[in-house]
Amino acid sequence: MLLDHLLLNACLHNIQQSVEKYLKATLIHFEKPFKKTHSIRELMIILSNNGIHIEISDDDIDFLDTIYLPTKYPLGSALPDFYPDKEICENALAAAKQIQSQVHQLLAPQKS
């Protein structure tokens, strides 16, 4: 809805937050400890160190990690060097949907 109405800063903020929450939910589900962080990279490292694999590109991790503070406390753009456009938001949303799908598979009850 935010993307459809071109509320791009808010769109990116919600995308970053959803990815962060999916990764934290995975750690909680598998009872793995983690420290308070908003860093997608740090959460991915913790998951990996615990043998939990979620596929996301380094570029997407870097991009998502640039979003949190500027969107939480915006002075202009959600991005540090330029204003977001619809394509940037669509790409970020695609990455978030990929993570959502993987987490749902990891957390789905296993049929015996």
Side-chain angles (χ1 to χ4, degrees):
M1 181 179 274
L2 293 169
L3 179 59
D4 290 342
H5 290 84
L6 299 178
L7 299 169
L8 304 179
N9 282 344
C11 178
L12 287 177
H13 177 74
N14 281 283
I15 289 168
Q16 186 280 339
Q17 286 288 281
S18 67
V19 169
E20 179 185 328
K21 300 317 179 217
Y22 273 115
L23 299 179
K24 288 178 177 179
T26 303
L27 288 164
I28 290 167
H29 176 80
F30 288 106
E31 300 179 350
K32 303 301 180 188
F34 61 95
K35 66 181 185 174
K36 183 177 178 180
T37 184
H38 298 290
S39 170
I40 302 305
R41 181 162 309 281
E42 194 166 339
L43 292 168
M44 291 296 294
I45 289 168
I46 295 167
L47 286 162
S48 179
N49 289 344
N50 283 283
I52 303 166
H53 182 70
I54 294 177
E55 187 68 35
I56 180 174
S57 73
D58 281 338
D59 287 344
D60 285 339
I61 291 171
D62 290 341
F63 178 73
L64 290 166
D65 274 346
T66 67
I67 295 172
Y68 179 74
L69 282 177
T71 59
K72 182 74 171 167
Y73 307 104
L75 295 176
S77 173
L79 300 173
D81 297 324
F82 56 93
Y83 284 88
D85 60 23
K86 191 169 182 177
E87 181 180 359
I88 287 170
C89 291
E90 288 170 343
N91 291 340
L93 186 57
K97 286 180 178 181
Q98 178 186 6
I99 291 167
Q100 175 190 39
S101 175
Q102 293 178 72
V103 169
H104 281 197
Q105 288 178 350
L106 281 170
L107 306 187
Q110 301 299 317
K111 296 179 182 178
S112 40

